[in-house]
């Protein structure tokens, strides 16, 4: 049922007003994609940034929300730094890069090396505010970069999202990573949160001299996980220096190195599944 903003019948007016704001923000977003992983360092933020950029390049209006509170990488990966957060009519204004709108907690902190020491309720409150109080406007896609694991942050995001919502789960090819990523798949199953599929990142190394793909890690963890949990393997993205360079310099590889092997793999995934 559409929310008309009338909370007068609710027991707790404040809570009801919050829920109303969340609902009306969600109503303006067609598709919500949560990028998650059971393990850190597997390329979750890289996938989130490049997915958002690719969707925007394909003509969609896209929001990118970074709820990785302890390690927000999005500002660096998009060259936004600690640009601060502007408010208008009690709503957070996202930073805009063309048709891509971005919000990250990392915008607010002067010291990029500073540690954020917050307990669960504080994190849950901030995530709730990021989901309900951002002036995204009408969006085709909201891509959410969630921190690794199955703790407060991904749980809050999954429980608060409404409408069309799906998870993209990132793994690397080694069994050690796949074991942790299986926990994310279980997490989604338990919450009945739909999974669009898996991305196997760092899947082989592209030699910069000859372009040959060398499998540095083991092979096949993505395929095995996808088969075991009955989900799609959306893409295999190789290890490639252009990805790291794009991330460090704030110029996403899907745009700057669109013709590279990972650039093409990413484009094919976006065309086929989104
Ligand atoms: P996570 O969000 O899972 O912690 P990141 O996306 O921050 O991981 O990636 C960690 C680092 O690895 C970053 O420096 C990123 O640029 C780099 N990286 C990620 N995927 C690749 C890849 N396929 N090839 C080369 N470097 C990569």
């Amino acid at each position: 049922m559409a929310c008309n903003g009338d909370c007068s019948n609710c027991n707790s007016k404040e809570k009801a007003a919050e829920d109303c704001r969340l609902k009306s923000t969600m109503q303006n977003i067609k598709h919500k994609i949560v990028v998650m992983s059971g393990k850190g360092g597997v390329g979750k933020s890289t996938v989130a940034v490049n997915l958002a950029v690719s969707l925007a390049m394909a003509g969609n209006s896209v929001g990118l929300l970074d709820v990785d509170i302890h390690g927000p990488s999005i500002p660096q990966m998009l060259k936004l730094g600690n640009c601060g957060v502007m408010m208008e009519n009690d709503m957070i204004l996202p930073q805009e890069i063309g048709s891509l709108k971005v919000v990250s907690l990392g915008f607010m902190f002067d010291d990029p090396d500073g540690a954020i020491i917050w307990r669960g309720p504080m994190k849950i409150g901030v995530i709730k505010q990021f989901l309900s109080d951002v002036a995204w406007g009408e969006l085709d896609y909201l891509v959410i970069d969630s921190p690794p694991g199955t703790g407060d942050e991904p749980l809050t995001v999954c429980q608060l999202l409404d409408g069309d919502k799906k998870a993209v789960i990132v793994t690397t090819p080694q069994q050690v990573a796949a074991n942790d990523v299986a926990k994310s798949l279980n997490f989604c199953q338990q919450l009945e949160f739909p999974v669009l599929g898996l991305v196997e990142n760092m899947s082989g190394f592209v030699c910069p001299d000859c372009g040959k793909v060398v499998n540095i890690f083991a092979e096949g963890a993505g395929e095995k996980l996808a088969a075991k949990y009955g989900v799609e393997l959306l893409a295999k993205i190789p290890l490639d220096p252009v990805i790291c360079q794009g991330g460090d310099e704030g110029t996403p590889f899907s745009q700057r190195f669109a013709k590279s092997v990972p650039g093409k793999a990413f484009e094919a995934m976006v065309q086929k599944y989104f």
Side-chain angles (χ1 to χ4, degrees):
M1 194 183 79
C3 175
N4 63 8
D6 175 10
C7 312
S8 53
N9 294 328
C10 304
N11 293 339
S12 156
K13 283 200 175 171
E14 200 180 322
K15 162 91 174 53
E18 270 176 22
D19 291 349
C20 270
R21 286 204 309 278
L22 179 65
K23 213 167 178 179
S24 58
T25 304
M26 290 292 122
Q27 278 167 2
N28 286 331
I29 303 170
K30 283 194 200 133
H31 311 287
K32 294 105 187 165
I33 308 286
V34 185
V35 182
M36 58 170 84
S37 177
K39 196 148 190 86
V42 296
K44 185 182 45 57
S45 299
T46 302
V47 168
V49 165
N50 285 281
L51 177 58
V53 167
S54 298
L55 289 167
M57 280 162 56
N60 298 292
S61 51
V62 183
L64 174 61
L65 176 62
D66 180 8
V67 299
D68 194 340
I69 288 171
H70 297 287
S73 314
I74 303 287
Q76 163 95 37
M77 289 184 172
L78 286 171
K79 223 192 289 176
L80 290 167
N82 61 329
C83 51
V85 170
M86 305 274 283
M87 303 283 294
E88 196 176 271
N89 301 327
D90 287 338
M91 297 291 275
I92 297 166
L93 295 178
Q95 292 294 322
E96 297 193 24
I97 309 172
S99 59
L100 176 64
K101 298 177 177 173
V102 189
V103 169
S104 169
L105 196 70
F107 292 168
M108 298 176 208
F109 295 99
D110 291 338
D111 178 7
D113 300 334
I116 296 176
I117 305 171
W118 288 353
R119 290 192 193 277
M122 183 97 171
K123 292 192 263 188
I124 292 167
V126 167
I127 291 172
K128 192 162 186 190
Q129 196 177 4
F130 274 176
L131 288 176
S132 55
D133 298 349
V134 174
W136 298 112
E138 304 250 331
L139 291 182
D140 295 312
Y141 290 92
L142 177 64
V143 177
I144 301 172
D145 183 18
S146 174
T150 52
D152 280 328
E153 297 94 321
L155 180 61
T156 306
V157 169
C158 291
Q159 287 178 330
L160 293 179
L161 288 181
D162 204 8
D164 182 61
K165 52 187 183 178
K166 291 189 181 80
V168 168
I169 300 182
V170 183
T171 188
T172 46
Q174 324 87 305
Q175 199 53 48
V176 172
N179 292 345
D180 287 343
V181 172
K183 296 185 175 71
S184 294
L185 286 156
N186 269 308
F187 168 87
C188 289
Q189 276 184 350
Q190 283 181 46
L191 294 177
E192 297 182 359
F193 195 91
V195 176
L196 182 63
L198 281 166
V199 173
E200 187 184 277
N201 187 31
M202 308 191 184
S203 181
F205 168 67
V206 183
C207 171
D209 288 332
C210 66
K212 198 177 153 204
V213 178
V214 181
N215 285 307
I216 290 177
F217 303 130
E219 268 186 279
E223 274 100 348
K224 277 190 215 148
L225 269 181
K228 183 171 174 192
Y229 285 88
V231 299
E232 290 279 347
L233 181 58
L234 304 174
K236 291 170 87 166
I237 311 289
L239 263 169
D240 190 316
V242 300
I243 297 186
C244 198
Q245 189 186 345
D248 283 357
E249 293 177 4
T251 49
F253 75 87
S254 52
Q255 188 172 34
R256 182 169 165 199
F257 301 106
K259 299 286 171 236
S260 64
V261 175
K264 286 187 190 152
F266 218 85
E267 189 188 7
M269 170 180 79
V270 170
Q271 279 177 1
K272 184 162 177 196
Y273 295 104
F274 291 86

